[in-house]
């Protein structure tokens, strides 16, 4: 059993993850998730639009976690400062306690091509959002797009490592950013 | 009308692009594409598995165009050399004559969420392939993953600019690579 916040939404999410992981995403219904969480199907639909929503509902919090790291930075901050701020802030969304649930979610998603496509699409959307934000901060093109793409690349690579590591996410993203700098200035 | 290579495969592709662009991907059948190209539906299926295949068949040539730029590089080439080689080679797949057809394809794909998801998924697959190739060339992690991600970011950003520009693709990718170096070493 994976642990999660109390309340119906959390219990539903926990039950869904356990069912998805043990039986496969396609083989599980919303009614079964509700039953496993000890709530009615109606309660399920009060919290989630459908069973896929259980896996992807955190998307706006996810994007916001990057944005929050940029907002406090002074006007005139350079692209590298914005990228570092976004990565540091987003790392905080993934404390060590979240690793176990993230691993289950990751295994469910990678086992299902349609979910994996969706996950990758979300990364692309994050890149678009960040590029727009960077342009709004006065970073010219193509630097804005490249800096945004680098942010997403680093975050995804760091996340993949974090899942199977015991190091904190913030340390891994910082190390990867240093690797980018070393690689690009070689 | 977009121009394309002669032969049934090329005529089918040209007819498909015209129909997709004018009526929308979902509204066009393989039979209609065949009729517009002046061939039988059986001939369509000898060349393409389905109508989506007309848009994505070039994927292996696309990945190979990056790989071809890495293969001739000497053992011990650094990550930046591999990235530059891959981008230079891939740029050659997009001569100016191909811009018109690429624009039509691009408009068809961006108008259809499922096709756009597929397109982005293909980018992610390219990144995975390049990272593996870089590791095989002795580039350690996380540099291999970051260099591969940077290659994809630069290529996609350059391609988006090339579509609406009159500069050659190779010049745009080279400029973007320089932007990455400037951004990352700031």
């Amino acid at each position: 059993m994976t642990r999660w916040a109390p309340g119906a939404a959390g219990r539903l999410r926990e039950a869904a993850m356990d069912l998805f992981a043990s039986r496969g995403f396609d083989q599980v219904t919303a009614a079964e998730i509700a039953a496993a969480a000890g709530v009615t199907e109606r309660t399920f639909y009060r919290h989630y639009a459908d069973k896929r929503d259980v896996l992807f509902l955190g998307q706006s919090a996810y994007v916001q976690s990057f944005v929050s790291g940029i907002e406090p930075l002074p006007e005139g901050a350079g692209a590298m400062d914005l990228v570092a701020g976004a990565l540091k802030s987003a790392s905080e969304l993934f404390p060590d306690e979240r690793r176990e649930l993230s691993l289950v979610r990751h295994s469910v998603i990678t086992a299902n091509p349609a979910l994996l496509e969706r996950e990758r699409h979300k990364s692309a959307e994050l890149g678009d959002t960040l590029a727009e934000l960077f342009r709004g901060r006065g970073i010219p093109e193509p630097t804005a797009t490249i800096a945004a793409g680098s942010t997403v690349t680093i975050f995804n690579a760091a996340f993949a490592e974090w899942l199977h590591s015991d190091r904190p996410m913030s340390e891994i993203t910082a190390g990867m950013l240093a690797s980018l700098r070393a690689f690009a200035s070689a």
Side-chain angles (χ1 to χ4, degrees), chain A:
Chain A
M1 285 287 280
T2 49
R3 290 286 149 251
W4 192 246
R11 285 210 310 283
L12 281 163
R13 185 171 169 136
E14 185 171 330
M17 291 295 178
D18 285 337
L19 287 169
F20 293 161
S22 60
R23 285 167 43 201
F25 178 79
D26 288 333
Q27 270 65 56
V28 177
T29 67
E32 289 169 324
I33 296 168
V39 303
T40 64
E41 201 174 341
R42 208 172 130 187
T43 299
F44 177 92
Y45 287 111
R46 260 211 306 275
H47 292 281
Y48 301 103
D50 54 35
K51 64 176 178 172
R52 198 176 76 162
D53 201 30
V54 182
L55 292 169
F56 290 100
L57 195 64
Q59 176 72 8
S60 63
Y62 168 69
V63 172
Q64 189 52 45
S65 74
F66 289 82
V67 175
S68 303
I70 294 167
E71 278 166 352
L73 295 176
E75 219 177 305
M80 185 48 79
D81 299 327
L82 301 179
V83 170
L87 285 171
K88 188 167 185 293
S89 170
S91 298
E92 289 164 13
L93 197 64
F94 296 92
D96 287 347
E97 310 84 81
R98 198 165 171 173
R99 189 178 276 120
E100 196 187 346
L101 189 75
S102 295
L103 261 172
V104 176
R105 179 181 180 278
H106 180 75
S107 72
V108 169
I109 286 174
T110 51
N112 187 307
L115 295 176
L116 191 58
E117 264 191 39
R118 178 89 200 148
E119 180 84 338
R120 287 174 157 172
H121 182 65
K122 291 287 183 184
S123 273
E125 283 188 333
L126 171 64
D128 293 344
T129 302
L130 290 174
E132 204 178 311
L133 217 68
F134 291 169
R135 284 190 295 270
R137 279 295 196 126
I139 307 297
E141 285 296 0
T143 306
T145 295
I146 286 169
S150 299
T151 308
V152 176
T153 295
I154 287 175
F155 185 85
N156 286 346
F159 186 76
E161 183 169 326
W162 173 77
L163 283 176
H164 303 283
S165 142
D166 55 6
R167 296 163 61 207
M169 182 65 176
S170 57
E171 188 185 308
I172 299 174
T173 51
M176 297 239 173
L177 190 56
S179 288
L180 172 72
R181 298 180 69 113
F183 146 69
S185 41

